[in-house]
Amino acid sequence: MTRTLRTLLEEGIVRLAQLPAKNEISFDALDRLAGYTVPLTIHDYGAKTPVMWNTVYEHLDLNLRNVMVVADPEKVKTILDTFREDPKYLGGGAAVGFKETVIPYLDEVRPADLSAVNIIVKEGQKLVGYNTDALGLYQSVADELATVGRRPEGARYVVLGAGAVAKEFCRILAQKSA
């Protein structure tokens, strides 16, 4: 039998996040979907991810859903092995508790030197990780510096925080000779 998101939910390996709006779904509705994207998080919180993606999917009349789940990062290998096998899993996200934990269980990360990911894309049977958070933060800083006639390259920075995004942001800064 093919393992799926439903299997993970039934076995209690993941649970449906309760706090995000537009994240509710029944097993019957899950079975009728053409596909889904699944963000993983360590704790339940009012994330906007399901609202954003499910609104887009509905607007485009796609038979897809974003289903945010809460899980223990120690179960990441089982979760990702299941997603690799699940024909409906299209990809998703790695949120708090998973940004670094998923790396050893992905088939690839792009660029290859990433130490944290926030996006997982299923390409065939491969799971590929990306980090759009750090690059987005860098671009925001670059845009803000441009308003005062400065460039981010060679500038000095103080970064408060040591989470996954902060580490990747510092890596980008170092590449830019900050």
Side-chain angles (χ1 to χ4, degrees):
M1 183 175 127
T2 301
R3 293 179 56 79
T4 65
L5 174 59
R6 180 176 177 154
T7 309
L8 293 173
L9 288 162
E10 289 174 335
E11 293 176 356
I13 294 170
V14 302
R15 67 178 172 84
L16 194 63
Q18 299 297 306
L19 295 178
K22 295 189 99 160
N23 196 52
E24 57 285 329
I25 192 161
S26 69
F27 283 150
D28 289 339
L30 194 63
D31 291 342
R32 290 190 301 268
L33 291 173
Y36 35 74
T37 52
V38 183
L40 297 167
T41 185
I42 195 169
H43 62 83
D44 205 343
Y45 67 102
K48 301 297 183 206
T49 306
V51 173
M52 177 182 70
W53 285 107
N54 289 329
T55 300
V56 169
Y57 295 155
E58 290 164 11
H59 180 75
L60 296 174
D61 199 28
L62 298 172
N63 188 23
L64 304 173
R65 291 285 294 174
N66 182 273
V67 183
M68 180 170 264
V69 298
V70 177
D72 181 344
E74 291 185 17
K75 305 284 187 183
V76 71
K77 181 181 183 330
T78 300
I79 295 166
L80 293 183
D81 285 348
T82 299
F83 287 163
R84 204 175 273 107
E85 183 179 336
D86 186 342
K88 292 185 180 186
Y89 177 77
L90 304 172
V96 175
F98 287 92
K99 292 179 185 293
E100 296 167 307
T101 309
V102 297
I103 298 267
Y105 304 102
L106 296 173
D107 299 296
E108 186 178 350
V109 294
R110 295 183 189 148
D113 61 346
L114 283 178
S115 63
V117 301
N118 68 305
I119 300 293
I120 300 170
V121 177
K122 187 173 183 183
E123 297 179 3
Q125 294 305 110
K126 287 183 156 187
L127 299 180
V128 181
Y130 298 87
N131 190 312
T132 59
D133 287 341
L135 194 54
L137 176 58
Y138 176 80
Q139 190 58 54
S140 296
V141 169
D143 292 349
E144 194 62 32
L145 286 173
T147 66
V148 293
R150 307 242 358 244
R151 295 176 43 88
E153 294 83 2
R156 292 182 182 195
Y157 297 84
V158 174
V159 177
L160 302 175
V165 174
K167 291 174 190 172
E168 282 302 313
F169 178 65
C170 288
R171 185 180 66 81
I172 292 170
L173 290 176
Q175 291 171 343
K176 303 289 184 180
S177 301

PDB file of all heavy atoms in Angstrom, residues 80-97:
ATOM      1  N   LEU A  80       9.284  12.543   5.262  1.00  0.00           N
ATOM      2  CA  LEU A  80       9.787  12.810   3.911  1.00  0.00           C
ATOM      3  C   LEU A  80       9.793  11.551   3.045  1.00  0.00           C
ATOM      4  O   LEU A  80       9.514  11.633   1.839  1.00  0.00           O
ATOM      5  CB  LEU A  80      11.159  13.459   3.960  1.00  0.00           C
ATOM      6  CG  LEU A  80      11.184  14.878   4.549  1.00  0.00           C
ATOM      7  CD1 LEU A  80      12.590  15.455   4.477  1.00  0.00           C
ATOM      8  CD2 LEU A  80      10.189  15.795   3.881  1.00  0.00           C
ATOM      9  N   ASP A  81      10.070  10.390   3.623  1.00  0.00           N
ATOM     10  CA  ASP A  81       9.971   9.139   2.856  1.00  0.00           C
ATOM     11  C   ASP A  81       8.540   8.935   2.364  1.00  0.00           C
ATOM     12  O   ASP A  81       8.317   8.513   1.229  1.00  0.00           O
ATOM     13  CB  ASP A  81      10.418   7.938   3.693  1.00  0.00           C
ATOM     14  CG  ASP A  81      11.924   7.855   3.878  1.00  0.00           C
ATOM     15  OD1 ASP A  81      12.669   8.587   3.173  1.00  0.00           O
ATOM     16  OD2 ASP A  81      12.362   7.057   4.729  1.00  0.00           O
ATOM     17  N   THR A  82       7.573   9.256   3.209  1.00  0.00           N
ATOM     18  CA  THR A  82       6.165   9.136   2.821  1.00  0.00           C
ATOM     19  C   THR A  82       5.825  10.135   1.715  1.00  0.00           C
ATOM     20  O   THR A  82       5.180   9.775   0.730  1.00  0.00           O
ATOM     21  CB  THR A  82       5.248   9.345   4.041  1.00  0.00           C
ATOM     22  OG1 THR A  82       5.543   8.325   5.005  1.00  0.00           O
ATOM     23  CG2 THR A  82       3.779   9.281   3.654  1.00  0.00           C
ATOM     24  N   PHE A  83       6.268  11.382   1.856  1.00  0.00           N
ATOM     25  CA  PHE A  83       5.989  12.392   0.830  1.00  0.00           C
ATOM     26  C   PHE A  83       6.611  12.007  -0.516  1.00  0.00           C
ATOM     27  O   PHE A  83       6.020  12.235  -1.563  1.00  0.00           O
ATOM     28  CB  PHE A  83       6.484  13.765   1.261  1.00  0.00           C
ATOM     29  CG  PHE A  83       5.656  14.410   2.342  1.00  0.00           C
ATOM     30  CD1 PHE A  83       6.176  15.464   3.070  1.00  0.00           C
ATOM     31  CD2 PHE A  83       4.377  13.980   2.641  1.00  0.00           C
ATOM     32  CE1 PHE A  83       5.431  16.083   4.070  1.00  0.00           C
ATOM     33  CE2 PHE A  83       3.622  14.583   3.641  1.00  0.00           C
ATOM     34  CZ  PHE A  83       4.145  15.635   4.356  1.00  0.00           C
ATOM     35  N   ARG A  84       7.777  11.421  -0.477  1.00  0.00           N
ATOM     36  CA  ARG A  84       8.443  10.983  -1.705  1.00  0.00           C
ATOM     37  C   ARG A  84       7.581   9.928  -2.421  1.00  0.00           C
ATOM     38  O   ARG A  84       7.491   9.892  -3.637  1.00  0.00           O
ATOM     39  CB  ARG A  84       9.822  10.414  -1.344  1.00  0.00           C
ATOM     40  CG  ARG A  84      10.825  10.438  -2.443  1.00  0.00           C
ATOM     41  CD  ARG A  84      12.199   9.966  -1.949  1.00  0.00           C
ATOM     42  NE  ARG A  84      12.977  11.070  -1.392  1.00  0.00           N
ATOM     43  CZ  ARG A  84      13.226  11.274  -0.100  1.00  0.00           C
ATOM     44  NH1 ARG A  84      12.782  10.443   0.805  1.00  0.00           N
ATOM     45  NH2 ARG A  84      13.948  12.303   0.286  1.00  0.00           N
ATOM     46  N   GLU A  85       6.921   9.083  -1.661  1.00  0.00           N
ATOM     47  CA  GLU A  85       6.084   7.997  -2.179  1.00  0.00           C
ATOM     48  C   GLU A  85       4.671   8.459  -2.542  1.00  0.00           C
ATOM     49  O   GLU A  85       4.027   7.885  -3.419  1.00  0.00           O
ATOM     50  CB  GLU A  85       6.013   6.908  -1.096  1.00  0.00           C
ATOM     51  CG  GLU A  85       5.267   5.666  -1.447  1.00  0.00           C
ATOM     52  CD  GLU A  85       5.275   4.648  -0.298  1.00  0.00           C
ATOM     53  OE1 GLU A  85       6.182   4.685   0.560  1.00  0.00           O
ATOM     54  OE2 GLU A  85       4.355   3.819  -0.288  1.00  0.00           O
ATOM     55  N   ASP A  86       4.187   9.502  -1.872  1.00  0.00           N
ATOM     56  CA  ASP A  86       2.806   9.976  -2.020  1.00  0.00           C
ATOM     57  C   ASP A  86       2.596  10.632  -3.384  1.00  0.00           C
ATOM     58  O   ASP A  86       3.185  11.674  -3.675  1.00  0.00           O
ATOM     59  CB  ASP A  86       2.511  10.975  -0.899  1.00  0.00           C
ATOM     60  CG  ASP A  86       1.069  11.436  -0.831  1.00  0.00           C
ATOM     61  OD1 ASP A  86       0.325  11.282  -1.821  1.00  0.00           O
ATOM     62  OD2 ASP A  86       0.691  11.974   0.227  1.00  0.00           O
ATOM     63  N   PRO A  87       1.741  10.074  -4.243  1.00  0.00           N
ATOM     64  CA  PRO A  87       1.553  10.636  -5.580  1.00  0.00           C
ATOM     65  C   PRO A  87       0.878  12.011  -5.585  1.00  0.00           C
ATOM     66  O   PRO A  87       0.996  12.748  -6.563  1.00  0.00           O
ATOM     67  CB  PRO A  87       0.678   9.601  -6.289  1.00  0.00           C
ATOM     68  CG  PRO A  87       0.020   8.827  -5.207  1.00  0.00           C
ATOM     69  CD  PRO A  87       0.936   8.878  -4.019  1.00  0.00           C
ATOM     70  N   LYS A  88       0.219  12.383  -4.499  1.00  0.00           N
ATOM     71  CA  LYS A  88      -0.468  13.679  -4.444  1.00  0.00           C
ATOM     72  C   LYS A  88       0.385  14.794  -3.845  1.00  0.00           C
ATOM     73  O   LYS A  88       0.053  15.967  -3.965  1.00  0.00           O
ATOM     74  CB  LYS A  88      -1.767  13.550  -3.651  1.00  0.00           C
ATOM     75  CG  LYS A  88      -2.816  12.711  -4.353  1.00  0.00           C
ATOM     76  CD  LYS A  88      -4.103  12.721  -3.573  1.00  0.00           C
ATOM     77  CE  LYS A  88      -5.161  11.881  -4.263  1.00  0.00           C
ATOM     78  NZ  LYS A  88      -6.451  12.004  -3.568  1.00  0.00           N
ATOM     79  N   TYR A  89       1.471  14.425  -3.197  1.00  0.00           N
ATOM     80  CA  TYR A  89       2.334  15.427  -2.575  1.00  0.00           C
ATOM     81  C   TYR A  89       3.116  16.153  -3.664  1.00  0.00           C
ATOM     82  O   TYR A  89       3.835  15.556  -4.448  1.00  0.00           O
ATOM     83  CB  TYR A  89       3.299  14.772  -1.578  1.00  0.00           C
ATOM     84  CG  TYR A  89       4.268  15.743  -0.953  1.00  0.00           C
ATOM     85  CD1 TYR A  89       3.873  16.603   0.063  1.00  0.00           C
ATOM     86  CD2 TYR A  89       5.586  15.814  -1.386  1.00  0.00           C
ATOM     87  CE1 TYR A  89       4.765  17.497   0.640  1.00  0.00           C
ATOM     88  CE2 TYR A  89       6.490  16.697  -0.817  1.00  0.00           C
ATOM     89  CZ  TYR A  89       6.073  17.536   0.197  1.00  0.00           C
ATOM     90  OH  TYR A  89       6.954  18.428   0.759  1.00  0.00           O
ATOM     91  N   LEU A  90       2.975  17.487  -3.706  1.00  0.00           N
ATOM     92  CA  LEU A  90       3.636  18.315  -4.715  1.00  0.00           C
ATOM     93  C   LEU A  90       4.849  19.049  -4.160  1.00  0.00           C
ATOM     94  O   LEU A  90       5.696  19.510  -4.913  1.00  0.00           O
ATOM     95  CB  LEU A  90       2.647  19.336  -5.277  1.00  0.00           C
ATOM     96  CG  LEU A  90       1.363  18.756  -5.872  1.00  0.00           C
ATOM     97  CD1 LEU A  90       0.384  19.872  -6.216  1.00  0.00           C
ATOM     98  CD2 LEU A  90       1.674  17.892  -7.067  1.00  0.00           C
ATOM     99  N   GLY A  91       4.888  19.174  -2.853  1.00  0.00           N
ATOM    100  CA  GLY A  91       5.934  19.938  -2.194  1.00  0.00           C
ATOM    101  C   GLY A  91       5.332  20.639  -1.003  1.00  0.00           C
ATOM    102  O   GLY A  91       4.217  20.328  -0.580  1.00  0.00           O
ATOM    103  N   GLY A  92       6.053  21.588  -0.470  1.00  0.00           N
ATOM    104  CA  GLY A  92       5.523  22.300   0.685  1.00  0.00           C
ATOM    105  C   GLY A  92       6.578  23.156   1.326  1.00  0.00           C
ATOM    106  O   GLY A  92       7.444  23.708   0.654  1.00  0.00           O
ATOM    107  N   GLY A  93       6.519  23.202   2.632  1.00  0.00           N
ATOM    108  CA  GLY A  93       7.427  24.075   3.335  1.00  0.00           C
ATOM    109  C   GLY A  93       8.042  23.424   4.543  1.00  0.00           C
ATOM    110  O   GLY A  93       7.562  22.412   5.046  1.00  0.00           O
ATOM    111  N   ALA A  94       9.117  24.023   4.979  1.00  0.00           N
ATOM    112  CA  ALA A  94       9.783  23.638   6.214  1.00  0.00           C
ATOM    113  C   ALA A  94       9.759  24.878   7.095  1.00  0.00           C
ATOM    114  O   ALA A  94      10.458  25.849   6.821  1.00  0.00           O
ATOM    115  CB  ALA A  94      11.208  23.167   5.935  1.00  0.00           C
ATOM    116  N   ALA A  95       8.945  24.842   8.126  1.00  0.00           N
ATOM    117  CA  ALA A  95       8.808  25.985   9.026  1.00  0.00           C
ATOM    118  C   ALA A  95       9.611  25.707  10.297  1.00  0.00           C
ATOM    119  O   ALA A  95      10.541  24.892  10.286  1.00  0.00           O
ATOM    120  CB  ALA A  95       7.332  26.237   9.326  1.00  0.00           C
ATOM    121  N   VAL A  96       9.242  26.372  11.367  1.00  0.00           N
ATOM    122  CA  VAL A  96       9.948  26.268  12.637  1.00  0.00           C
ATOM    123  C   VAL A  96      10.158  24.798  13.017  1.00  0.00           C
ATOM    124  O   VAL A  96       9.233  23.996  12.972  1.00  0.00           O
ATOM    125  CB  VAL A  96       9.160  26.994  13.751  1.00  0.00           C
ATOM    126  CG1 VAL A  96       9.809  26.801  15.103  1.00  0.00           C
ATOM    127  CG2 VAL A  96       9.013  28.460  13.420  1.00  0.00           C
ATOM    128  N   GLY A  97      11.401  24.464  13.345  1.00  0.00           N
ATOM    129  CA  GLY A  97      11.747  23.118  13.763  1.00  0.00           C
ATOM    130  C   GLY A  97      12.162  22.194  12.630  1.00  0.00           C
ATOM    131  O   GLY A  97      12.690  21.113  12.877  1.00  0.00           O
TER     132      GLY A  97
END
